[in-house]
């Protein structure tokens, strides 16, 4: 038997509904916030992600799926959405048609990570990117979209953790302070952090191995190195969050795992015990130099990404079932070859009219066909045997009321439509109305 690759999963028909429901909640929310959908390739030229030799993020250095195509070009399966969206923004000159591009995407990402609960090698992400404005209110808008999503899904116990890593001048000064500080503890740093100390000391703060060590507590804090411009940007973000009544916690050591950020960085963390280590539902931040670094015009940006799986897990732990049950309007039961032929044609009429229908294709007995009607959650069951067929009649049963009538074989569609429109079936069940 061939199995799925490690760290991947199948979304089976029973679970797909919760995925599409989540997608439609996201699409609705993005419409409310005026973000437009963008779809970019799942693989990109390797350069899109491997831009900077000094990039020390795990995602770029250890986790990308890199391969050569048949023409020996370096390709990478996208590990995240931001860089691909920025590539598309530059290549399609989206900055010409609008001063600000507010974009969102939903799709699979790939990271060669150690799989565990809430962390897989292929996962789906929802992300937004707002390109073109350096306003702190844009940062606040993105965070507000994130908290609105959490609210719309009915997930409780989610905290917004926020920090600033300032502008370039801030980070240059802070970097120097970190190098001086951590140089004293070189012997105690893990091998990754020794490398970070040389290339990007800021990322030491994000180290899962070293961050609990005693000397970490006294490491310099970025807030003491912020330039006045960085302070005022961050203060304005915080003021905007307050004005929108969004709760937040400032977390001094939050730097995020990707190298492109500047100024605001944030994460939405689930304080849900069952969640375990992978409790960050989403995160993001500002990236004011990424577009320029990718050879585009000097354009600021801010965005955020959410893992689908973690959102769905949080929903189910919160008792929110996004998985509404499938149903049919009509299940056709036919007894005998002639009846089957007649049913095929009447079912087709119903389907053209938009009713959800199915029938038995296995030539099974009455009992099994009734079982299938039940399993398919059919509102009506039509039963056609030889006797009815001779008189061009068909029996139709309302599965909710158990009432049964005999009607003209050719009247199934208008009969069901009439019942649905008069709402004499499944009162209050809007989902089952014919669209
Ligand atoms: P990220 O923090 O790497 O940021 O990922 C965002 C979210 O994707 C995480 O909070 C998590 O929910 C989910 N995620 C990441 N890796 C995995 C995994 N292996 N398995 C399951 N879920 C995962 C970014 O990707 C940035 N591009 C976000 C951003 C957009 N920043 C600015 N714009």
């Amino acid at each position: 038997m061939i199995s799925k690759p490690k760290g991947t999963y199948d979304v089976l028909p029973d679970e797909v509904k919760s995925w599409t429901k989540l997608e439609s909640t996201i699409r609705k929310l993005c419409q409310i916030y005026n973000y437009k959908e963008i779809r970019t390739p799942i693989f990109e030229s390797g350069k899109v992600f491997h831009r900077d030799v000094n990039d020390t993020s795990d995602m770029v250095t250890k986790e990308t799926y890199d391969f050569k195509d048949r023409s020996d070009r370096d390709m990478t399966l996208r590990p995240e959405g931001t860089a691909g969206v920025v590539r598309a923004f530059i290549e399609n000159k989206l900055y010409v048609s609008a001063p600000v591009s507010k974009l969102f995407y939903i799709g699979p990402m790939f990271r060669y990570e150690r799989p565990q609960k809430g962390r897989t090698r292929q996962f789906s992400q929802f992300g937004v990117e707002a390109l073109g404005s350096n306003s702190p209110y844009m940062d606040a808008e993105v965070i507000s979209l994130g908290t609105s999503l959490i609210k719309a899904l009915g997930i409780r116990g989610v905290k917004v953790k926020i920090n600033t890593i300032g502008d370039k001048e801030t980070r240059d000064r802070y970097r120097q302070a970190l190098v001086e500080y951590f140089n004293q503890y070189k012997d105690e740093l893990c091998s990754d952090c020794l490398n970070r100390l040389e290339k990007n000391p800021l990322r030491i703060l994000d180290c899962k191995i070293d961050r609990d060590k005693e000397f970490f507590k006294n490491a310099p804090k970025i807030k003491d190195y912020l330039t006045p411009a960085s302070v005022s940007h961050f203060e304005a973000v915080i003021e905007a969050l307050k004005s929108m009544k969004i709760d937040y916690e400032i977390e001094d050591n939050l730097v995020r795992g990707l190298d492109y950020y500047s100024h605001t960085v944030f994460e939405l963390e689930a304080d849900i015990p069952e969640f375990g280590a992978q409790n960050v539902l989403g995160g993001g931040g500002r990236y004011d130099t990424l577009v320029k670094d990718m050879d585009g015009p000097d354009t600021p940006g801010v965005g955020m990404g959410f893992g689908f799986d973690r959102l769905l897990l949080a929903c189910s732990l919160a008792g929110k079932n996004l998985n509404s049950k499938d149903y049919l309007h009509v299940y056709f039961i036919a007894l005998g070859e002639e009846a089957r032929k007649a049913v095929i044609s009447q079912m087709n009429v119903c389907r053209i009219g938009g009713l959800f229908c199915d029938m038995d294709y296995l030539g099974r007995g009455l009992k099994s066909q009734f079982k299938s009607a039940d399993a398919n959650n059919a509102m009506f069951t039509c039963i056609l045997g030889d006797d009815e067929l001779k008189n061009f009649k068909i029996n139709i049963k309302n599965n909710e009321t158990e009432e049964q009538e005999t009607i003209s074989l050719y009247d199934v569609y208008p009969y069901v439509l009439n019942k649905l429109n008069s709402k004499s079936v499944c009162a209050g069940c809007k989902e089952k109305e014919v669209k």
Side-chain angles (χ1 to χ4, degrees):
M1 188 185 66
I2 304 171
S3 332
K4 60 186 179 305
K6 187 177 173 187
T8 65
Y9 50 83
D10 301 308
V11 184
L12 299 176
D14 271 357
E15 299 149 357
V16 164
K17 276 225 154 175
S18 55
W19 284 67
T20 49
K21 185 78 202 296
L22 177 56
E23 280 176 26
S24 65
T25 307
I26 286 170
R27 289 208 160 81
K28 177 95 195 294
L29 205 59
C30 285
Q31 196 172 15
I32 291 173
Y33 279 78
N34 196 26
Y35 282 69
K36 313 276 186 230
E37 185 166 0
I38 184 165
R39 298 185 186 193
T40 61
I42 281 170
F43 65 96
E44 295 269 3
S45 156
K47 283 181 289 215
V48 171
F49 306 104
H50 300 286
R51 294 177 300 272
D52 180 357
V53 285
N54 286 323
D55 195 329
T56 54
S57 67
D58 283 353
M59 190 196 78
V60 171
T61 54
K62 299 182 193 163
E63 293 169 1
T64 50
Y65 279 87
D66 301 316
F67 61 98
K68 294 256 186 212
D69 73 5
R70 287 176 190 272
S71 301
D72 213 30
R73 297 185 194 96
D74 288 317
M75 296 290 160
T76 298
L77 288 183
R78 63 182 186 194
E80 57 115 31
T82 313
V85 167
V86 168
R87 196 263 318 130
F89 172 81
I90 298 167
E91 191 170 346
N92 297 288
K93 297 192 172 54
L94 296 187
Y95 45 88
V96 173
S97 48
V100 175
S101 298
K102 302 209 298 182
L103 307 165
F104 82 93
Y105 48 89
I106 297 172
M109 309 290 163
F110 306 84
R111 296 185 193 177
Y112 193 81
E113 292 192 272
R114 201 160 38 81
Q116 53 178 274
K117 190 171 162 192
R119 189 162 81 186
T120 46
R121 289 183 175 171
Q122 176 174 337
F123 60 97
S124 229
Q125 215 186 48
F126 153 58
V128 301
E129 312 296 345
L131 293 147
S133 165
N134 57 16
S135 166
Y137 304 136
M138 192 59 102
D139 309 25
E141 172 177 287
V142 169
I143 296 171
S144 145
L145 202 163
T147 54
S148 296
L149 175 63
I150 298 296
K151 206 163 165 200
L153 295 173
I155 305 170
R156 286 165 195 272
V158 176
K159 283 188 195 142
V160 176
K161 302 221 161 154
I162 188 167
N163 192 20
T164 176
I165 54 169
D167 51 17
K168 188 171 177 310
E169 190 187 331
T170 302
R171 288 192 305 281
D172 285 347
R173 280 165 40 193
Y174 184 48
R175 202 170 286 133
Q176 210 178 332
L178 284 176
V179 171
E180 276 167 27
Y181 181 80
F182 283 117
N183 255 326
Q184 308 168 72
Y185 301 98
K186 257 182 157 173
D187 299 345
E188 293 170 64
L189 290 175
C190 73
S191 58
D192 278 344
C193 280
L194 277 177
N195 185 31
R196 288 169 186 146
L197 189 59
E198 255 179 45
K199 291 186 169 172
N200 188 352
L202 220 76
R203 298 266 351 278
I204 298 180
L205 299 176
D206 203 36
C207 179
K208 290 174 185 65
I209 302 170
D210 287 345
R211 72 175 167 205
D212 294 328
K213 293 181 180 163
E214 197 52 37
F215 63 85
F216 241 70
K217 292 188 186 126
N218 298 323
K221 301 277 182 246
I222 197 152
K223 63 180 177 201
D224 299 322
Y225 296 83
L226 294 172
T227 58
S230 300
V231 171
S232 73
H233 185 95
F234 193 53
E235 281 177 354
V237 176
I238 296 294
E239 277 310 307
L241 293 182
K242 281 185 187 157
S243 79
M244 290 190 279
K245 304 206 168 17
I246 295 173
D247 291 334
Y248 61 87
E249 276 175 26
I250 297 178
E251 184 149 313
D252 288 338
N253 280 345
L254 182 69
V255 288
R256 306 254 315 129
L258 299 159
D259 273 5
Y260 48 60
Y261 292 116
S262 52
H263 289 290
T264 319
V265 284
F266 62 90
E267 285 181 347
L268 280 87
E269 205 178 279
D271 193 9
I272 305 173
E274 295 91 328
F275 239 86
Q278 304 307 319
N279 65 342
V280 178
L281 298 180
R286 183 160 272 288
Y287 46 88
D288 284 348
T289 58
L290 181 61
V291 182
K292 197 159 172 249
D293 292 344
M294 289 179 73
D295 301 328
D298 195 356
T299 309
V302 55
M304 128 193 109
F306 275 95
F308 253 57
D309 322 67
R310 294 187 196 177
L311 285 174
L312 289 172
L313 185 62
C315 282
S316 75
L317 290 173
K320 301 278 162 189
N321 185 6
L322 300 182
N323 225 351
S324 59
K325 202 164 183 232
D326 277 324
Y327 65 92
L328 291 178
H329 292 117
V330 191
Y331 190 87
F332 286 90
I333 291 180
L335 297 167
E337 201 47 40
E338 286 307 308
R340 259 194 294 280
K341 229 188 267 175
V343 151
I344 281 276
S345 122
Q346 289 318 303
M347 186 168 70
N348 195 44
V349 171
C350 291
R351 283 175 168 170
I352 289 169
L355 296 183
F356 308 170
C357 307
D358 208 352
M359 65 177 280
D360 174 71
Y361 289 99
L362 300 172
R364 294 178 305 165
L366 193 62
K367 209 168 154 197
S368 309
Q369 296 195 50
F370 265 114
K371 267 194 188 159
S372 288
D374 220 29
N376 279 290
N377 195 19
M379 297 166 74
F380 291 92
T381 308
C382 283
I383 308 116
L384 187 63
D386 283 345
D387 283 353
E388 292 86 19
L389 187 58
K390 259 187 255 156
N391 300 317
F392 303 105
K393 299 274 183 205
I394 192 163
N395 291 322
I396 185 159
K397 185 180 163 206
N398 179 332
N399 291 327
E400 202 181 37
T401 61
E402 305 250 306
E403 281 163 0
Q404 191 161 321
E405 286 187 64
T406 304
I407 61 171
S408 160
L409 176 60
Y410 308 107
D411 278 350
V412 176
Y413 175 63
Y415 176 92
V416 174
L417 198 64
N418 184 36
K419 291 281 183 193
L420 291 172
N421 286 341
S422 71
K423 300 219 176 81
S424 59
V425 285
C426 196
C429 181
K430 288 251 186 309
E431 263 246 305
K432 290 191 181 180
E433 283 172 32
V434 196
K435 297 275 175 341

